[in-house]
Amino acid sequence: MRFTVSTRGFCDIIDITSRIEEAVRKSGIKEGICIVSCPGSTVGITTIENEPQLLKDFKELMEKLVPSDKKYHHDDVWGEANGFSHLRSSLIKPFLTVPVENGKLVLGQWQNLVLLDFDNRPREREIFVKIFGK
């Protein structure tokens, strides 16, 4: 399965949990793994509680770790001034694997799957979902 989401860039955080749960349900797989991937070098997929203040904390953490206003060597290559977004993606990764048990994702009570668009512009992101098991 695959689906597309529109993003605003600049560490836009989009909850994709329900779309992934739907894919698992439709797959009929009861026991296995779910791989979620978004091809790209300026995007990430992770888990976090979808609580507004925590999401704000996450964005502030990314800004402290990899500031968007710093000049990076990569910026000189293409002139896109998005070196920070590539570095953030290398830390968070554009893919994630989640166990499937009893036909459902194994997630904590407050754990959500999110897409993080680190690029410095709005984008259309295609997300691929593959479920393996029995």
Side-chain angles (χ1 to χ4, degrees):
M1 173 193 172
R2 66 176 81 178
F3 61 93
T4 303
V5 295
S6 297
T7 72
R8 295 183 305 249
F10 296 99
C11 205
D12 195 10
I13 302 174
I14 300 172
D15 190 332
I16 57 173
T17 309
S18 63
R19 300 289 298 269
I20 306 305
E21 288 172 333
E22 176 187 347
V24 171
R25 248 188 331 275
K26 286 182 176 179
S27 76
I29 299 291
K30 298 298 179 196
E31 304 291 326
I33 59 170
C34 175
I35 300 171
V36 183
S37 177
C38 184
S41 60
T42 59
V43 66
I45 297 175
T46 193
T47 63
I48 193 168
E49 181 178 344
N50 191 5
E51 186 276 311
Q53 296 306 309
L54 182 60
L55 299 181
K56 184 177 179 180
D57 290 336
F58 181 85
K59 291 178 181 185
E60 289 174 2
L61 173 66
M62 285 291 100
E63 194 59 36
K64 286 179 186 173
L65 289 175
V66 187
S68 59
D69 60 354
K70 180 182 181 295
K71 184 160 174 39
Y72 295 92
H73 299 289
H74 173 74
D75 299 341
D76 295 333
V77 177
W78 302 109
E80 295 175 328
N82 70 346
F84 70 95
S85 61
H86 290 278
L87 294 171
R88 290 176 182 184
S89 178
S90 72
L91 293 173
I92 302 299
K93 302 294 182 211
F95 53 85
L96 186 70
T97 302
V98 181
V100 174
E101 278 188 5
N102 299 315
K104 295 183 179 181
L105 294 170
V106 179
L107 295 172
Q109 181 177 359
W110 305 110
Q111 194 175 21
N112 295 83
L113 299 168
V114 294
L115 173 84
L116 308 160
D117 190 340
F118 298 123
D119 214 349
N120 60 359
R121 62 187 174 92
R123 302 283 301 261
E124 291 293 315
R125 298 292 191 170
E126 189 169 26
I127 300 165
F128 291 80
V129 183
K130 299 289 184 185
I131 301 108
F132 300 94
K134 54 184 179 160

